[in-house]
Amino acid sequence: MIEVAPTQEQAQSEREQYVRAWNDTMIKIWQERITLLDVIDTGRLLQSPCTIPIQADGRFVELTISEQFLEYGLWQDFGTGRETPRGNKGDIGRTKVRQRRPWFSKKYYSSVLNLRDFFGENLGREFQGIMADMFERINKL
């Protein structure tokens, strides 16, 4: 089966839809992980993940995607907190109570790689379409 390269508009639309869906999916994944790992005390961390408006050029080739959540989430992910004084190299003089609850870092890294792969494939297919159009025009001359 021969795959037809998308038009520039189709490829751009695919990228925009993918990025918006990716952003929303990250929030859902994080909230699910927070719940599954029971990183819930007051519920503020569970409600804190949100997306920041996407900044993109007109073609969705160059863009900035941002999410935010409470800083407390980092300490939960790393398994650190008030029981470890600043500057301490890890020996806190008693059994460590806090455990790592990696609710965002692993999923985020793999999701960023998926986003990278999608963009590589999508931009490659768009370039194929541009080149095919150019050769078609040359052949018509």
Side-chain angles (χ1 to χ4, degrees), residues 4-140:
V4 178
T7 65
Q8 286 180 304
E9 293 80 21
Q10 289 169 330
Q12 175 188 325
S13 177
E14 283 178 14
R15 286 192 299 271
E16 182 176 357
Q17 290 172 9
Y18 190 91
V19 166
R20 293 190 190 288
W22 184 89
N23 222 4
D24 292 338
T25 302
M26 285 311 307
I27 301 302
K28 290 175 186 166
I29 288 172
W30 288 345
Q31 289 174 332
E32 180 181 290
R33 297 284 299 163
I34 289 169
T35 303
L36 287 173
L37 292 171
D38 196 28
V39 187
I40 301 173
D41 185 24
T42 64
R44 288 182 56 217
L45 179 60
L46 180 62
Q47 298 303 319
S48 72
C50 65
T51 60
I52 296 173
I54 299 167
Q55 297 176 359
D57 63 355
R59 299 177 303 141
F60 268 77
V61 173
E62 196 174 312
L63 55 107
T64 302
I65 304 172
S66 300
E67 299 85 19
Q68 69 181 16
F69 51 82
L70 290 176
E71 183 179 343
Y72 169 73
L74 290 175
W75 312 131
Q76 289 295 315
D77 195 72
F78 298 142
T80 60
R82 283 187 238 155
E83 71 182 18
T84 309
R86 286 186 185 177
N88 186 297
K89 302 224 186 300
D91 176 20
I92 60 176
R94 63 184 182 284
T95 306
K96 186 174 181 200
V97 177
R98 294 179 191 257
Q99 298 298 317
R100 265 192 98 187
R101 295 189 274 184
W103 64 274
F104 93 92
S105 54
K106 290 180 185 179
K107 291 280 188 183
Y108 189 71
Y109 181 69
S110 65
S111 295
V112 167
L113 293 181
N114 289 340
L115 184 63
R116 176 202 65 188
D117 293 345
F118 168 78
F119 262 77
E121 182 180 317
N122 181 276
L123 289 167
R125 286 184 25 242
E126 180 181 351
F127 179 75
Q128 287 174 337
I130 292 168
M131 294 304 290
D133 288 347
M134 183 185 70
F135 288 132
E136 211 172 277
R137 287 185 193 131
I138 290 172
N139 285 336
K140 287 181 182 179

